[in-house]
Amino acid sequence: GQQLNQSPQSMFIQEGEDVSMNCTSSSIFNTWLWYKQDPGEGPVLLIALYKAGELTSNGRLTAQFGITRKDSFLNISASIPSDVGIYFCAGQQGGSEKLVFGKGTKLTVNP
Amino acid sequence: EAQVTQNPRYLITVTGKKLTVTCSQNMNHEYMSWYRQDPGLGLRQIYYSMNVEVTDKGDVPEGYKVSRKEKRNFPLILESPSPNQTSLYFCASSVGNEQFFGPGTRLTVL
């Protein structure tokens, strides 16, 4: 099945640093989503993007829908220890509710 | 509280012993799906259902069955589990773009 190319696979950063991760695809997506999974829990939606070029923020998180509709990135500013977890990008095509997921970026924040 | 529940949360079983993982949602969502999560592979869709009595294969359906007899429930059935089905399983329901995930079921098949 189709998957998105998400990078980096893992990041080890110091508290207070900014973080950037991205997702690319060979196909066009109509919607890009970013999820966070805390240890031992299911993924939770952070940000949803619906239009090419759209830039959306949610607190310290900012995500953008690439203008080619084949990529998206997520930035986290001034990281804190509770940002630890796995971040997934996901895309939707056409009128389907099916999500295609990236393989995730595992974030570790050292206090 | 709007939620997706799964049971059991943890299960250790042996090869060939049929098992069912239940999933229930209280949000009246029509779309439900099952995923498995494996290290380095992310989330892969097993089966999905667009409504009652409407189910279809996802990306990795082999060895699994599902049923959707009522809107709120979407059980995952492993008729004859094998060790390669050891994984973390998530049920999700959605309306539109946002999928709500359950807490996960960690399955070990010996």
Side-chain angles (χ1 to χ4, degrees):
Chain A
Q2 187 178 22
Q3 277 199 314
L4 302 176
N5 300 311
Q6 186 173 347
S7 64
Q9 285 187 337
S10 60
M11 302 182 74
F12 297 84
I13 62 170
Q14 292 297 125
E15 183 176 358
E17 290 184 5
D18 297 343
V19 172
S20 184
M21 59 192 78
N22 70 82
C23 230
T24 61
S25 171
S26 57
S27 304
I28 289 174
F29 285 88
N30 294 328
T31 302
W32 283 92
L33 305 160
W34 285 92
Y35 283 82
K36 183 193 177 195
Q37 182 181 25
D38 289 324
E41 298 184 14
V44 174
L45 182 67
L46 295 174
I47 292 179
L49 302 157
Y50 302 106
K51 287 168 50 177
E54 179 181 355
L55 185 71
T56 297
S57 293
N58 178 5
R60 293 178 294 106
L61 278 61
T62 302
Q64 185 158 27
F65 191 142
I67 57 173
T68 66
R69 295 164 66 193
K70 293 182 179 181
D71 62 334
S72 177
F73 72 76
L74 175 70
N75 286 341
I76 305 172
S77 62
S79 58
I80 58 179
S82 62
D83 290 334
V84 164
I86 303 176
Y87 292 79
F88 291 100
C89 63
Q92 278 184 326
Q93 293 177 307
S96 171
E97 293 193 50
K98 177 183 169 66
L99 288 181
V100 179
F101 281 88
K103 294 182 180 181
T105 296
K106 186 174 182 179
L107 179 64
T108 302
V109 180
N110 296 316
Chain B
E1 178 189 355
Q3 59 182 351
V4 179
T5 57
Q6 295 178 227
N7 281 293
R9 293 290 312 276
Y10 302 90
L11 179 60
I12 300 175
T13 190
V14 295
T15 299
K17 185 176 181 182
K18 181 179 178 180
L19 67 92
T20 299
V21 183
T22 64
C23 172
S24 182
Q25 51 97 1
N26 62 1
M27 295 168 279
N28 203 36
H29 289 164
E30 292 181 346
Y31 188 93
M32 297 185 72
S33 56
W34 275 101
Y35 295 87
R36 62 178 289 173
Q37 183 179 11
D38 302 290
L41 297 178
L43 290 156
R44 295 180 293 168
Q45 190 180 54
I46 302 170
Y47 267 93
Y48 66 95
S49 169
M50 298 189 71
N51 212 328
V52 175
E53 302 291 3
V54 181
T55 64
D56 208 347
K57 296 177 181 178
D59 299 317
V60 287
E62 293 76 21
Y64 304 96
K65 286 174 56 178
V66 292
S67 70
R68 188 89 181 275
K69 293 184 169 57
E70 48 193 338
K71 187 181 274 192
R72 65 182 293 122
N73 296 323
F74 189 43
L76 179 70
I77 303 154
L78 285 72
E79 294 271 6
S80 183
S82 61
N84 65 12
Q85 292 178 297
T86 292
S87 187
L88 180 58
Y89 292 86
F90 289 101
C91 179
S93 74
S94 68
V95 57
N97 305 111
E98 182 168 0
Q99 290 205 7
F100 295 85
F101 285 83
T105 295
R106 185 165 292 281
L107 173 65
T108 301
V109 183
L110 302 175

